Amino acid sequence: MAEVQLRAVRKSFGAVEVIKGVDLRVPSGDFCVFVGPSGCGKSTLLRMIAGLEEVTDGQVLIGGRDVTDAEPSRRGIAMVFQNYALYPHMTVAQNIGFGLSLAKRPKAEIEDRVRHAADILQLSHLLDRKPKALSGGQRQRVAIGRAIVRDPKVFLFDEPLSNLDASLRAEMRLELAELHGRLDATMIYVTHDQVEAMTMADRIVVLNGGRIEQTGAPMDLYRHPATPFVAGFLGSPRMNLYEGEAARAMGARVYGIRPEHVLLSPERGRWHGRVRHVERLGADAIIHLDVPQLGDLVARAAGETTLAPGSEVWASPQDGTEHRFPA
Amino acid sequence: MTVLSRSVATAPPARPRRRARWRPALTGGLALLAALVVFVIPFLFIALQAVKTRREASRLDFAWPTEWQAWENLVEVVQERDYMLLLAYLNSTIITVGSVTLLVIFASMVGYVLQRRRSRVNGVVMGAVLAGLMIPPAVVPTIWVLQALGLFKTIHGMILIEVAYNLSFSVLLYRAFIATIPRELDEAAIIDGAKPLQVFFKVVLPLLWPVTVTNIVVQSIGIFNDFTNPLYYLPGRENVTVQLTLFNFQSQFSSQMNLLFMNVLLVTIPPLVVFVFFNRQIVAGMTAGAVKG
Ligand SMILES: Nc1ncnc2c1ncn2[C@@H]1O[C@H](COP(=O)(O)OP(=O)(O)OP(=O)(O)O)[C@@H](O)[C@H]1O
Ligand SMILES: [Mg+2]
């Protein structure tokens, strides 16, 4: 358990500045998720916290201690990589215990701690296997076990679930959340999947182009996005965003309304349009409308909706759910 | 209806398909024939001469031997010049084992650093490695250097020469293979608290086994069979290596072809056995590299 703090952190690769001054405080015990589009610098930021990437400028503090120049192994962190990075020539037990054996801990203690970590992750029956003989989900568990056994103050995850299939990902999401509750450690988690961000985070950090766009609790960001970028990034289907003439008519430089906040009615409303396409998801349906005043408008309706392509419909925003972004 | 249409559809391409079937057989047969002429026939020729008497062998033809002398020839070759062949085997083995050991250690480490570390020195080192591959060695200056260092005409000097001449190739082999090992593996080890040497010896080196076998086999055969370098840098009766024993049976005035070819046979067989034995692994090390975690 430790607080992680970044102070005016910058990173350049040669002449290219990738992280352009990041200030961030992750409170002790938080589950903090970095999201952002590909190439925005999430991994780079995480690797700087881990000490795998040198900090060009600024400071990294873990538990109040300045670790900007400390070795990765001296920072009290553990990291789980996207491709698992298990040592292929070692068994599961050796993989998990590698750090301890490097630290020359007594054999009995290593065995104990490996067994304990394996119990938490239900890996006990696999301890003698090589990584080659494991499924993707099991490999990811071993990688997490390798992190747990080090008893770190801070866990770092770089897109740990992106190589898993959808159902396994949902399962692991839950497991990680439970693990967080159980270990009570600070966790920093990188993903570009906004579902993972929304479901797991205590706090989301939205990154864009090497800068922090906004920080906050998931529902805060959902309700009050500070910029059109954040508004468009969180939420699925994404928010309807309009610029130019349509937005100016609504009194903003950028105007936004989420699909779930668009009310449809056969008789009256603010905008009149025609249904172009209906995507039925079961519980609800995504309606794509052509609205002359706005352009495209996406609305979420009940799954049993009778709307069909070609029908005329009125749409209006729910009270208090509109987003107006000033210039 | 369906039967009719199917027979209509298959009838016309029948001829091209038949040709397509015997063509691979023909090309394969030709390739085998070529391989036979190039590789097998010379070997049979050697074996044939090696078991003949001196007179029959001097004719250098494919005639079947009237008198078999395999054992006598063998004994004579081995005993020639006070068991020189055995000394040569000993020397060649020492040189091969010594230089291949050093090659594997140095090349894997250099290849690792070259592949992993981002540094400006890398370009220079890479240039040197490629130069070592492309620029032919200059013999006389090398001898001067060896003499100045007191390494000329010594076995360990010869080992260093073989290491220097073959290092480039091994480094390139290792570098290419290490590129297929994910960098995250190193990073995971670093986070686990491994020091740089531990990262290399405990995590990376064990994964290099396939390419190490390739290196050992290819370089052993090359160094064991080396003729010119020992000729230049390792003169002296007590320093003889296997390939140089061939001179024993070829002089201006007399030549004993049966013994010469028996000697060739004895010198060729160990590398051949090694090659046949490790053939699969050599190819694996050259091509494979899939060590996905
Ligand atoms: N070693 C490097 N040398 C040069 N540029 C790099 C290096 N590593 C990353 N970059 C650049 O830094 C930027 C940020 O990379 P980073 O890997 O942090 O992105 P990311 O947000 O993790 O993206 P993704 O979601 O695709 O993983 C990218 O533009 C990338 O090209
Ligand atoms: Mg990344």
Side-chain angles (χ1 to χ4, degrees), chain A residues 5 9 31 33 42 64 75 86 92 95 112-113 123 129 155 186 196 202 215 233 235 261 264:
Chain A
Q5 211 175 339
V9 165
F31 198 116
V33 174
K42 307 179 294 287
R75 296 185 177 204
L86 301 181
V92 168
N95 261 284
D112 250 24
R113 286 170 68 175
L123 286 170
R129 291 215 198 152
F155 282 86
T186 312
E196 277 174 27
D202 294 322
T215 309
F233 198 81
H261 298 146
L264 299 176

Side-chain angles (χ1 to χ4, degrees), chain A residues 273-294:
Chain A
R274 179 190 296 274
V275 177
R276 196 177 68 229
H277 182 62
V278 178
E279 289 176 296
R280 290 180 193 279
L281 304 177
D284 44 20
I286 311 298
I287 318 284
H288 296 259
L289 302 165
D290 278 328
V291 176
Q293 285 158 281
L294 300 172

Side-chain angles (χ1 to χ4, degrees), chain A residues 47 52-53 72-73 79 81 83 85-89 98-99 102 131 139 146 150, chain B residues 118 182 184-185 187-194 198 202-203 206-207 291-293:
Chain A
R47 291 164 54 81
L52 295 173
E53 212 75 73
S73 55
M79 185 154 170
F81 295 86
N83 62 0
L86 301 181
Y87 313 121
H89 56 296
F98 184 61
L102 282 179
R139 287 180 199 184
R146 197 169 57 184
R150 308 195 53 223
Chain B
R118 300 180 207 128
E184 282 85 357
L185 231 50
E187 293 175 341
I190 290 171
I191 288 180
D192 269 340
Q198 287 175 317
K202 296 201 173 197
V203 175
L207 302 178
V291 256
K292 259 198 178 154

Side-chain angles (χ1 to χ4, degrees), chain A residues 205-221:
Chain A
V205 176
V206 182
L207 291 165
N208 186 22
R211 287 203 177 79
I212 292 184
E213 195 85 12
Q214 193 178 359
T215 309
M219 283 315 282
D220 283 347
L221 296 195

Side-chain angles (χ1 to χ4, degrees), chain A residues 13 18 36-45 53 82 158-159 190 192, chain B residues 118:
Chain A
F13 290 110
V18 173
S38 192
C40 69
K42 307 179 294 287
S43 298
T44 307
L45 201 57
E53 212 75 73
Q82 177 175 2
D158 193 352
E159 308 205 25
V190 165
H192 58 246
Chain B
R118 300 180 207 128

Side-chain angles (χ1 to χ4, degrees), chain B residues 199-216:
Chain B
V199 174
F200 180 75
F201 283 107
K202 296 201 173 197
V203 175
V204 176
L205 193 59
L207 302 178
L208 297 182
W209 181 238
V211 71
T212 299
V213 172
T214 307
N215 256 306
I216 290 176

Side-chain angles (χ1 to χ4, degrees), chain A residues 2 4 12 30 34 36 72-73 94 123 135 139 155 176 192 201 241 246 262 264 280 287 292 304 312-313 318 322-323:
Chain A
V4 176
S12 310
D30 239 25
F34 292 176
S73 55
Q94 287 166 336
L123 286 170
S135 72
R139 287 180 199 184
F155 282 86
L176 277 177
H192 58 246
L241 287 167
V262 176
L264 299 176
R280 290 180 193 279
I287 318 284
E304 306 294 343
E312 308 267 329
V313 71
Q318 233 173 50
E322 292 164 283
H323 299 275

